[in-house]
Amino acid sequence: QVELVESGGGSVQSGGSLTLSCAASEYTISMNCISWFRQTPGKEREGVATVYTMTGIPYYSDSVKGRFTISYDNDKNTAYLQMNDLKPEDTAEYICATDPRWGCLVCNDGVCDFAPEDDFGRWGQGTQVTVSS
């Protein structure tokens, strides 16, 4: 089974940058997309970004659009999340996920949102990002 390993988290000041990596142990057909989620204590897990592994097409939450860039390297089976202009509210544990039951996004009438976390079959262990003001 595919295993996901995140890395790249750390502590930065507001306005700083970090790049997270999500390395998959192998590529399988179930990895048609990879999503990044983030979670803070007491809050629901929030979808941040999704990338379709065959096309590289990205999708972002409104809260990170324009600041974060998601990409996928087919040769390395690794998804990246480049995070720029970080804000204190970006502080969270960042977790990548793949192997969705239906898809990484749920779309209705052209409006898309991240699929429920229960739809994802594989999760990494998470990496902490802390942004200080």
Side-chain angles (χ1 to χ4, degrees), residues 1 4 10 15 33 60:
Q1 289 183 334
L4 302 176
C33 54
Y60 301 98

Side-chain angles (χ1 to χ4, degrees), residues 2-7 21-26 76-79 96:
V2 174
E3 293 187 357
L4 302 176
V5 178
E6 299 97 333
S7 61
S21 300
C22 172
S25 56
E26 62 180 318
K76 298 181 179 179
N77 293 335
T78 298
C96 62

Side-chain angles (χ1 to χ4, degrees), residues 91-109:
T91 295
E93 181 177 50
Y94 285 72
I95 314 158
C96 62
T98 192
D99 188 16
R101 184 179 308 169
W102 306 112
C104 287
L105 299 178
V106 176
C107 299
N108 286 300
D109 293 330

Side-chain angles (χ1 to χ4, degrees), residues 22 27 30-37 48-60 69-74 77-81 96-100 103-105 114 120:
C22 172
Y27 181 83
S30 65
M31 283 176 54
N32 62 310
C33 54
I34 295 178
S35 292
W36 282 98
F37 290 80
V48 175
T50 287
V51 63
Y52 287 88
T53 55
M54 296 299 290
T55 63
I57 295 176
Y59 176 85
Y60 301 98
T69 302
I70 190 171
S71 60
Y72 183 74
D73 187 325
N74 283 286
N77 293 335
T78 298
Y80 300 95
L81 187 67
C96 62
T98 192
D99 188 16
C104 287
L105 299 178
F114 295 90
F120 291 84

Side-chain angles (χ1 to χ4, degrees), residues 7-20 38 67-68 81-92 94 127-133:
S7 61
S11 297
V12 297
Q13 290 190 329
S14 183
S17 299
L18 283 173
T19 299
L20 306 183
R38 65 187 181 186
R67 300 188 297 122
F68 291 11
L81 187 67
Q82 171 69 43
M83 306 184 296
N84 296 327
D85 190 23
L86 283 161
K87 305 175 181 181
E89 51 264 41
D90 294 319
T91 295
Y94 285 72
T127 184
Q128 180 67 35
V129 171
T130 302
V131 185
S132 58
S133 56

